[in-house]
Amino acid sequence: MQFSQISIFIFAAVVAILATTVEAGQNVKWGKAAAGKSTWFNGHDLKGVACYGDLENNSNVNAQDSWHIAAVHMASYTGGERAACFECVKITANRRSVVVRIIDDCAGCAPNQIDLTASAFKILAPLSQGVVKTSYEFVRCPTSGIKWPKSPAPKSN
């Protein structure tokens, strides 16, 4: 009887590990376009952004709607926050593009969904549209004309 319980426990553990591996299988792919969709957020969703709070121990960073920033489902990326935080993404829809910096987690987003601030979304489509089909690719972050907070200073050991 005890052997059966241990076998069931091991089987459940293996299934859980495999399910997690499948969930976190998406990589940050530089310069390779992918199909997706974008939505927009504002208001209370701009407070205490995940990349600063979780990685920089600074949960006091409250984003501004004028920033061109984004949230993605961090768990869908191999490496999670460490892989996606502070990376830049060029998003294109309707022959219009915007470059945004990922600084937040969107736990309710699909793996290929990028949730944008209203100011970034408006470049692609009217806010009333709510959701827009996009293509996106990870790019180097621009050094001028930026509309987001500076990257955090590297941590000292």
Side-chain angles (χ1 to χ4, degrees):
M1 185 73 161
Q2 189 175 15
F3 178 76
S4 295
Q5 290 173 335
I6 291 172
S7 296
I8 292 170
F9 175 77
I10 291 171
F11 177 76
V14 168
V15 168
I17 289 169
L18 291 175
T20 302
T21 303
V22 170
E23 173 79 14
Q26 186 172 341
N27 290 314
V28 171
K29 295 177 185 156
W30 293 93
K32 295 192 180 203
K37 66 180 177 180
S38 287
T39 51
W40 62 276
F41 65 96
N42 64 7
H44 72 280
D45 292 327
L46 295 168
K47 296 182 179 165
V49 294
C51 293
Y52 287 93
D54 296 347
L55 297 180
E56 300 299 317
N57 295 321
N58 182 0
S59 59
N60 296 322
V61 174
N62 294 323
Q64 298 174 21
D65 191 50
S66 62
W67 294 355
H68 289 176
I69 56 173
V72 297
H73 187 205
M74 297 288 183
S76 67
Y77 287 90
T78 302
E81 290 177 341
R82 298 211 178 275
C85 277
F86 307 115
E87 298 298 345
C88 287
V89 181
K90 179 181 178 184
I91 303 167
T92 303
N94 306 317
R95 290 183 266 150
R96 296 179 180 169
S97 296
V98 63
V99 176
V100 297
R101 174 165 270 165
I102 297 170
I103 68 168
D104 206 3
D105 184 25
C106 179
C109 287
N112 287 342
Q113 179 180 351
I114 301 176
D115 205 19
L116 306 170
T117 51
S119 63
F121 188 92
K122 284 192 272 188
I123 292 171
L124 304 174
L127 294 180
S128 60
Q129 189 169 336
V131 178
V132 64
K133 288 183 181 181
T134 61
S135 66
Y136 67 93
E137 64 182 290
F138 286 88
V139 297
R140 287 194 185 273
C141 293
T143 57
S144 62
I146 55 176
K147 289 192 173 189
W148 56 69
K150 291 181 181 180
S151 296
K155 289 183 179 178
S156 59
N157 293 334

